[in-house]
Amino acid sequence: MYTAESIEQLVEEFSSLPGIGRKSAHRLAMHILKLPKPDVVKIAEALVNVKERINYCNICWNFTEENPCRICSNHNRNRSLICVVEDPNDVIAIEKTHEYKGLYHVLGDALSPLDGIGPEDLKIKELLHRIEGSVQEIILAMNASIEGEATTIYLSRLLKPLGMKITRLARGIPVGSDLEFTDEATLARALQSRTEV
Ligand SMILES: [Zn+2]
């Protein structure tokens, strides 16, 4: 089948995205082709903007347009609490519960020896570095997966000797599920009844 080179290139780019197969990529390319030019420019600008404006917060490693991020620089947040999560989507999920008023720390991933992800690949050094006297509790809010569990065990062993309270989310989050896909009520309950490790 003959396809113009620029269409082919667009299909290539789309199919390199996660979860997009060649067929969907082709459908997206056709959709773009049919859009009025200003709409296409808007999409292209949004893509570039996100890369230019979004950075990692130097304190909690969440995505942010300001540094430090709005949560880290908000003095109404409880600075004696740090909730450790795997990725920025987990921060969004926990914020949606309106149950948590402390700070966050985003590891960037979970430990997964099989995928070659070790402690040095996560923002663990950065976590240790920011813990100071005012921190009273660290909540380990990992996904209910094997990797999440391994990360919880690793971090609790590492942090326990530092003397502050270490807690984890209560069971009740379905095994194998990501925090970001857990409904708000369940996540709020898991936070409220967190247990000490
Ligand atoms: Zn931050």
Side-chain angles (χ1 to χ4, degrees):
M1 185 182 72
Y2 169 78
T3 326
E5 201 181 318
S6 55
I7 296 178
E8 186 51 38
Q9 194 193 349
L10 188 55
V11 172
E12 279 297 314
E13 295 302 334
F14 279 140
S15 45
S16 72
L17 299 174
I20 310 277
R22 223 180 137 79
K23 215 167 163 181
S24 306
H26 198 260
R27 197 155 359 112
L28 285 171
M30 288 303 122
H31 176 76
I32 296 284
L33 210 53
K34 285 178 199 151
L35 287 176
K37 189 165 174 196
D39 292 1
V40 178
V41 170
K42 254 203 316 219
I43 295 173
E45 279 174 356
L47 288 171
V48 176
N49 278 345
V50 84
K51 274 317 277 184
E52 279 178 354
R53 291 192 199 155
I54 302 288
N55 272 306
Y56 290 104
C57 170
N58 283 344
I59 299 173
C60 71
W61 300 92
N62 194 5
F63 289 138
T64 180
E65 285 198 19
E66 302 122 43
N67 220 330
C69 73
R70 280 186 203 181
I71 294 177
C72 287
S73 54
N74 180 347
H75 287 282
N76 294 321
R77 309 277 313 201
N78 181 349
R79 313 192 88 75
S80 68
L81 274 175
I82 296 179
C83 180
V84 183
V85 296
E86 292 178 25
D87 66 63
N89 289 328
D90 302 330
V91 173
I92 298 170
I94 293 174
E95 283 296 287
K96 273 203 214 146
T97 68
H98 301 292
E99 196 52 53
Y100 181 70
K101 296 286 173 257
L103 303 177
Y104 291 95
H105 190 85
V106 180
L107 294 174
D109 214 328
L111 291 177
S112 180
L114 287 179
D115 300 314
I117 301 170
E120 64 289 346
D121 298 308
L122 311 181
K123 300 288 181 207
I124 292 177
K125 249 196 299 131
E126 290 78 357
L127 173 64
L128 294 173
H129 188 72
R130 67 182 280 207
I131 295 175
E132 17 139 340
S134 59
V135 176
Q136 288 170 3
E137 180 182 349
I138 296 185
I139 304 167
L140 303 174
M142 306 302 137
N143 289 330
S145 62
I146 294 169
E147 294 79 13
E149 194 56 32
T151 311
T152 299
I153 292 167
Y154 180 87
L155 286 179
S156 58
R157 283 183 189 151
L158 190 71
L159 298 170
K160 208 103 211 242
L162 301 181
M164 76 285 288
K165 190 170 163 188
I166 313 292
T167 56
R168 58 176 299 157
L169 296 183
R171 314 269 167 180
I173 304 222
V175 173
S177 69
D178 277 14
L179 292 194
E180 58 176 301
F181 302 123
T182 305
D183 71 275
E184 286 153 39
T186 305
L187 190 50
R189 262 201 311 278
L191 259 171
Q192 281 160 358
S193 46
R194 60 184 184 269
T195 52
E196 200 160 345
V197 293

